Amino acid sequence: MTDYTVRAAPLRHIPSILGSLGCDSRLPIESVGLSTGFFDYTENQIPYDVAARLIDSSAKVSDHESFGLSLGQRFSLMELGLVGRVAHSSASVKTALYDMIEAFHLHDSGGIITLDNSARLMSLGYRSILPGAGSLSQVNDMCLACLCLVMRELCGPDWSPARVELTRPRPADELPYREFFRAPISYGAKRNVLSFSGRWLDRTLLSSNLERHMALRNETQGRLKAASPELATQVRRLLHRRLYQGGFGSDEIADALCMHERTLRRRLRQEKTSFSKLLDEVRQASSCQLLKDTELSIGDIARELGYSSTDAIDHAFRRWHGVSPRKWRGLCNAPGRSVELLH
């Protein structure tokens, strides 16, 4: 069983934000089993689901709908630790983003960064890969704000995306979102992404340092090799990254991992799993997240996840949860209903 964690660094601002809103920061922090001193050491690892509950609880305690956005606005690239230092020393924006994507799970093993060039504009986004997570609207707000600030650190403070897509419902007060992103925003979208012109990728970084970058890359590769996640975990990450883009067949995943498809299937069997089982798990986690955090129709969700029809996703959902996706969504949104009971 994979343990999904995130470094404490980006969360260390929670007590000060709560304090600025007139709230006792101990309440949400202690409610998830932590102490305020936990954030004094930024390399501390916190379980991903605990981090998500902490951010969500902080938003509720403070009655601050855009709490996740406010938290993300305190972010800097260096809070990614080694991952951020590698990106900062890269030669170009493109290299920096790919360095971040490759090593991001050293910082956050419960989420992935995506970079999609399949449309007219590039799309940089964040997705949770945590099975059975609760509502992640606040987490997604925070992470997209972080990515926006990454782009402003790399491209200059005047950088703005051409378009922003958020899975969260339209907030009662949109002004904080408009003022921060400085771009048109679509709410209730299928993904959380910033779209921008591909020309930004070629921008040379003023912070580029080839010698330092190579040293940090070597350190990163050593950390990645030491972590050596099981093949099933690597496949899950790739499936999550490619699910909305296409190209998630077993042959294409094998190519991405630089191995033959037969080798992929054999090694997964050795880990007591299979490609079809992993794809099923990823579709289950993704469909639950889309049902909880978006207003997409069942048909739209079926198409996004590669199902041939609404009947196909309905059958899969009854197999997973014993109810239809429509009923599951209703139960999930029922007042006082614990989402954990639905998994």
Side-chain angles (χ1 to χ4, degrees):
M1 178 72 176
T2 300
D3 294 321
Y4 297 94
T5 62
V6 60
R7 290 172 59 257
L11 307 178
R12 65 189 177 92
H13 305 290
I14 288 178
S16 63
I17 295 176
L18 288 170
S20 71
L21 295 170
C23 301
D24 185 348
S25 64
R26 291 174 299 177
L27 294 176
I29 292 173
E30 291 176 359
S31 74
V32 297
L34 300 176
S35 67
T36 53
F38 178 86
F39 300 102
D40 293 341
Y41 181 55
T42 58
E43 292 298 324
N44 276 339
Q45 296 281 333
I46 177 173
Y48 189 99
D49 61 328
V50 173
R53 284 191 285 117
L54 172 59
I55 298 170
D56 196 53
S57 176
S58 298
K60 291 174 181 174
V61 165
S62 61
D63 194 26
H64 188 46
E65 188 181 20
S66 56
F67 187 90
L69 180 73
S70 297
L71 181 57
Q73 287 177 299
R74 306 285 187 98
F75 176 82
S76 71
L77 186 58
M78 289 300 101
E79 289 186 341
L80 292 179
L82 177 59
V83 179
R85 294 194 297 275
V86 173
H88 188 260
S89 63
S90 297
S92 67
V93 172
K94 181 178 182 179
T95 307
L97 293 179
Y98 278 115
D99 283 339
M100 282 178 53
I101 290 169
E102 179 185 31
F104 188 66
H105 65 273
L106 294 178
H107 165 76
D108 173 359
S109 63
I112 57 172
I113 296 175
T114 61
L115 186 62
D116 181 12
N117 63 353
S118 62
R120 182 177 63 86
L121 295 173
M122 301 293 300
S123 292
L124 178 67
Y126 177 86
R127 294 192 62 212
S128 168
I129 63 171
L130 182 65
S135 176
L136 295 174
S137 292
Q138 295 293 334
V139 171
N140 291 331
D141 283 1
M142 181 193 100
C143 291
L144 217 59
C146 291
L147 287 178
C148 189
L149 288 178
V150 165
M151 291 299 292
R152 286 173 183 164
E153 281 196 53
L154 298 177
C155 301
D158 294 332
W159 183 90
S160 291
R163 185 176 68 248
V164 178
E165 296 177 50
L166 290 168
T167 56
R168 64 160 301 130
R170 185 180 300 276
D173 183 4
E174 296 181 55
L175 186 59
Y177 294 84
R178 290 201 301 264
E179 288 185 339
F180 174 70
F181 288 114
R182 307 194 299 257
I185 305 173
S186 297
Y187 300 100
K190 66 183 181 183
R191 55 188 186 162
N192 297 285
V193 297
L194 309 170
S195 295
F196 57 92
S197 169
R199 64 182 175 83
W200 287 105
L201 296 182
D202 297 325
R203 187 181 181 91
T204 300
L205 300 187
L206 296 177
S207 57
S208 175
N209 183 319
L210 181 59
E211 184 176 350
R212 177 172 169 78
H213 183 252
M214 289 301 297
L216 289 169
R217 278 278 296 172
N218 289 338
E219 184 180 351
T220 301
Q221 292 301 314
R223 290 270 299 275
L224 289 171
K225 186 175 181 180
S228 60
E230 59 185 15
L231 181 61
T233 300
Q234 297 178 53
V235 171
R236 283 192 195 93
R237 287 197 185 109
L238 280 170
L239 286 171
H240 274 286
R241 188 170 289 128
R242 292 178 173 223
L243 197 56
Y244 299 157
Q245 304 171 13
F248 56 85
S250 58
D251 55 338
E252 292 155 314
I253 296 298
D255 285 344
L257 292 168
C258 301
M259 63 178 67
H260 195 280
E261 184 182 5
R262 287 196 300 271
T263 303
L264 173 67
R265 294 185 180 278
R266 174 176 54 78
R267 289 185 54 186
L268 288 176
R269 281 197 302 273
Q270 292 171 349
E271 294 183 8
K272 304 293 191 282
T273 188
S274 67
F275 182 83
S276 59
K277 182 179 179 181
L278 295 175
L279 178 57
D280 193 58
E281 290 175 5
V282 169
R283 279 174 160 165
Q284 180 183 10
S286 297
S287 61
C288 289
Q289 223 47 66
L290 289 171
L291 286 166
K292 284 196 294 267
D293 291 337
T294 78
E295 297 175 355
L296 291 176
S297 70
I298 307 300
D300 286 340
I301 292 174
R303 283 187 289 274
E304 289 302 321
L305 302 183
Y307 285 106
S308 57
S309 65
T310 54
D311 286 342
I313 193 173
D314 187 84
H315 176 76
F317 227 86
R318 290 178 187 278
R319 173 168 51 83
W320 296 327
H321 302 289
V323 295
S324 70
R326 192 176 307 280
K327 184 172 183 179
W328 190 93
R329 174 180 262 171
L331 291 170
C332 184
N333 294 330
R337 185 63 181 247
S338 173
V339 73
E340 285 81 4
L341 297 178
L342 301 174
H343 293 279

